[in-house]
Amino acid sequence: MATTTHAPYHAYKPRPFTKAERDRVTIVFGGLHWRAERLLQAAFENVGYRAEALPVATRDDLLAGREVADIGQCCPTSFTTGNLVNFLRAKARDLGAKEVADRYVYLTAGACGACRFGQYHQSYELALRNSGLEAFRLFLLAQDSLDQGAAKGDGLQIDLPFTTGVIWALLCADVLQDLEYQVRPYELVAGQTDRVVRESVDDLCDVFRKRPLHANKWRSLLWHLTTGYFADALRNVHRRFESIEVDRLRVKPVVKITGEFYLQTVEGDPNYNIHRWLEAEGAEVYPAAVAVWLDYWMRWYVQGFEDYVGIDRYARPKIAAVRLLQLVFRRVYDRLRSALGRQPHELPDQYELRRLASPYFNSRLSGGEGDMLVGKALWAHHHKKAHMTCELSPYSCMPNTMSVGAMAAVVGRHPDLLYAPLEIKGDAEVHALSRCQMVLTEAKKRAQREFEETLERTGLTMDDARAWLDAHPEAKRATYRVPHDGVAGNAANLLVHIAARRGRP
């Protein structure tokens, strides 16, 4: 009788990527919006790597991911897996599979708790094996280490000069994207904001390629924390935005985007182009900043140390050290915001998010964005940062399923909170956008009602507001900062500002 033997499972181990290969090997990466990817590519090139961002994922990538990997995975896994496979297949048709394996490597972030994100590299491995590309090399960038040393081989050195470039690229992309989304819905010349943003990204890429490097890693970190190099670059971006004329008296609901990290960050087919769709429907989008996720990671470590107070004598000093790091991080982010006229939104306080979410979601539950999804919805509602929250949840995503369930209790206690949870499958666009449109219709009514109530409260008329703007043409520039003063909408805040300024020189 014949016996069948099965080889034991072995964790994926890429063959080495050596320093001698750097000049001819390209690091491939992806999964963010295009501004961040362009700046990351420049940051990689600054430290001596060839780099290329994957193209924006498409519906074809979703289908490819389902074909070559686990059919039961969440749609971000399918999109990113198929995106990588289709990119490599196209290269292999031109160069051959062996040449692709020799000339490209893939770099992706590591795990984040009880989430399929920790298994992405295994899906990639399966997909590559099923595509005849099993020799291709994958490397992980740990999210919890700024200085993790060399990957297998010495070709990829993930040290402080590398990771500080990555972090500052993400922060600069965050504040630029935030300003862009505040300006574009009100621009008078259609397409002008997009043009200015493209030019700004080109400028920032040059800044990152020319970033001064320091041999000593701690000197490199200190330089990044104290330099005005990036703030000066963003001031030049701010001057570019001065050319854009806006009409902020257009009444538009503000929609806060939350959800699973990939879906809330990417722009394209994976989330049904939700950002542009909302703008086309007459809304102003409040995008999700990557910096909030980085801040959450630090809060997660604080919570872990809090559980050991009274057990570990070093628990309190560890908490103090991470809280200090958070403070420094927020100061850096605020410095970049200030370079753009303090118009990009501030980071929410992580401990306020935890406090707001605590009656509904345990802060120790990891996976995805944890209690942040509940906390951010309540924060935006209580502080009038948005008229509605749109949460993008992948089909079959356990962490987001828990947050959507918790939000049922939140809405029950706060019935005036407008919340649109969208289950994103990748191929059910009409259903998801129709669901969002129902809540958006109410948000539009709320924004209009807020505007009319503000007119009545301030005693202004539209003619008064227009006359004041004509007398103060600087207020028609995209770079004019309108303070946030107790109302959510841009138009309503402008009325409050005009009422406060009338009669002043």
Side-chain angles (χ1 to χ4, degrees):
M1 180 177 177
T3 58
T4 303
T5 60
H6 297 279
Y9 172 78
H10 294 284
Y12 172 75
K13 292 181 180 180
R15 60 189 174 88
F17 168 35
T18 66
K19 188 175 293 185
E21 295 180 272
R22 279 189 188 178
D23 290 341
R24 59 186 180 85
V25 171
T26 299
I27 297 175
V28 179
F29 64 98
L32 299 167
H33 57 81
W34 70 273
R35 306 160 205 77
E37 291 174 346
R38 285 282 311 281
L39 297 187
L40 284 174
Q41 179 175 341
F44 292 158
E45 292 169 353
N46 169 255
V47 288
Y49 298 102
R50 296 164 58 98
E52 182 177 350
L54 290 170
V56 178
T58 66
R59 190 75 58 81
D60 288 341
D61 295 328
L62 172 72
L63 299 177
R66 290 174 175 173
E67 171 196 347
V68 297
D70 180 10
I71 191 65
Q73 62 198 352
C74 62
C75 74
T77 315
S78 294
F79 269 112
T80 55
T81 302
N83 192 210
L84 175 62
V85 165
N86 281 340
F87 173 84
L88 295 177
R89 281 173 170 172
K91 294 291 183 182
R93 283 194 293 270
D94 295 334
L95 304 173
K98 183 181 184 307
E99 194 67 15
V100 168
D102 289 341
R103 288 172 55 175
Y104 293 90
V105 299
Y106 184 64
L107 179 64
T108 185
C112 66
C115 173
R116 287 183 178 87
F117 188 45
Q119 303 169 2
Y120 272 28
H121 67 285
Q122 293 171 337
S123 292
Y124 297 150
E125 179 194 1
L126 175 62
L128 293 170
R129 192 163 62 243
N130 289 337
S131 302
L133 297 164
E134 59 272 12
F136 184 75
R137 290 168 287 181
L138 309 170
F139 295 96
L140 295 181
L141 171 63
Q143 298 181 90
D144 57 354
S145 176
L146 293 176
D147 189 21
Q148 66 188 66
K152 190 172 183 181
D154 56 0
L156 182 59
Q157 188 74 27
I158 303 175
D159 53 14
L160 277 175
F162 182 95
T163 53
T164 50
V166 168
I167 292 171
W168 263 256
L170 293 173
L171 299 186
C172 287
D174 273 349
V175 293
L176 174 59
Q177 182 195 36
D178 198 309
L179 178 59
E180 171 192 346
Y181 275 94
Q182 290 187 51
V183 171
R184 186 168 47 235
Y186 305 97
E187 65 185 5
L188 293 184
V189 179
Q192 189 176 9
T193 305
D194 288 340
R195 177 180 57 78
V196 167
V197 170
R198 287 193 297 270
E199 293 170 352
S200 299
V201 171
D202 288 342
D203 290 347
L204 289 173
C205 284
D206 287 339
V207 168
F208 274 91
R209 288 191 186 96
K210 297 173 182 176
R211 177 180 60 133
L213 294 175
H214 302 270
N216 182 283
K217 63 182 181 181
W218 299 113
R219 184 177 298 173
S220 175
L221 179 60
L222 181 63
W223 180 83
H224 280 82
L225 293 175
T226 58
T227 185
Y229 181 76
F230 301 103
D232 289 343
L234 289 172
R235 289 188 189 97
N236 291 331
V237 169
H238 195 242
R239 282 189 282 271
R240 284 188 178 276
F241 273 82
E242 285 182 353
S243 64
I244 304 173
E245 188 174 354
V246 295
D247 177 11
R248 291 192 178 93
L249 286 176
R250 297 173 179 173
V251 180
K252 294 178 177 288
V254 180
V255 180
K256 179 79 182 80
I257 300 293
T258 66
E260 186 269 339
F261 180 83
Y262 174 75
L263 292 184
Q264 71 176 358
T265 305
V266 73
E267 296 173 347
D269 285 356
N271 57 19
Y272 307 136
N273 291 281
I274 190 71
H275 301 79
R276 291 291 185 147
W277 180 84
L278 284 166
E279 286 189 357
E281 290 294 315
E284 175 191 337
V285 174
Y286 183 163
V290 177
V292 177
W293 169 254
L294 300 177
D295 199 15
Y296 170 69
W297 256 106
M298 287 181 273
R299 194 247 287 182
W300 183 256
Y301 275 96
V302 169
Q303 292 175 175
F305 297 140
E306 286 174 345
D307 293 338
Y308 283 84
V309 170
I311 300 173
D312 180 357
R313 62 177 176 172
Y314 298 111
R316 293 188 189 278
K318 290 175 182 176
I319 291 170
V322 180
R323 292 292 294 263
L324 177 61
L325 181 61
Q326 279 187 290
L327 178 63
V328 171
F329 177 77
R330 295 173 69 88
R331 290 275 177 87
V332 168
Y333 193 79
D334 281 340
R335 188 175 190 181
L336 300 179
R337 286 180 58 234
S338 296
L340 292 179
R342 297 193 69 79
Q343 287 176 267
H345 294 91
E346 75 279 12
L347 294 179
D349 184 287
Q350 282 293 326
Y351 301 94
E352 182 183 5
L353 296 185
R354 181 174 70 176
R355 177 182 61 80
L356 290 170
S358 61
Y360 313 97
F361 201 106
N362 192 303
S363 62
R364 267 56 174 183
L365 285 174
S366 67
E369 296 212 329
D371 64 334
M372 267 210 304
L373 296 177
V374 176
K376 285 192 287 189
L378 284 165
W379 176 82
H381 175 63
H382 289 321
H383 293 285
K384 297 189 182 299
K385 299 294 184 180
H387 295 99
M388 68 173 276
T389 294
C390 179
E391 181 177 335
L392 308 175
S393 302
Y395 170 72
S396 79
C397 174
M398 181 186 71
N400 276 85
T401 298
M402 291 191 296
S403 73
V404 171
M407 282 299 298
V410 174
V411 174
R413 189 170 296 181
H414 301 276
D416 54 339
L417 189 158
L418 293 180
Y419 170 65
L422 306 186
E423 185 179 61
I424 309 296
K425 299 181 179 180
D427 53 5
E429 181 173 358
V430 173
H431 172 77
L433 296 184
S434 295
R435 183 181 179 88
C436 186
Q437 198 164 43
M438 288 189 290
V439 184
L440 181 61
T441 298
E442 182 56 37
K444 289 179 180 179
K445 294 177 183 177
R446 184 169 295 185
Q448 185 63 42
R449 186 164 60 248
E450 175 189 69
F451 182 76
E452 292 169 357
E453 290 172 353
T454 306
L455 276 174
E456 183 177 354
R457 177 164 54 88
T458 58
L460 292 172
T461 66
M462 285 295 292
D463 288 341
D464 294 333
R466 294 288 181 193
W468 188 89
L469 289 172
D470 290 339
H472 299 81
E474 70 278 5
K476 296 181 180 181
R477 293 178 183 171
T479 50
Y480 186 84
R481 181 174 178 267
V482 177
H484 184 268
D485 197 359
V487 285
N490 219 321
N493 275 297
L494 180 57
L495 291 179
V496 174
H497 179 63
I498 290 173
R501 287 286 307 275
R502 286 184 82 192
R504 297 182 188 176

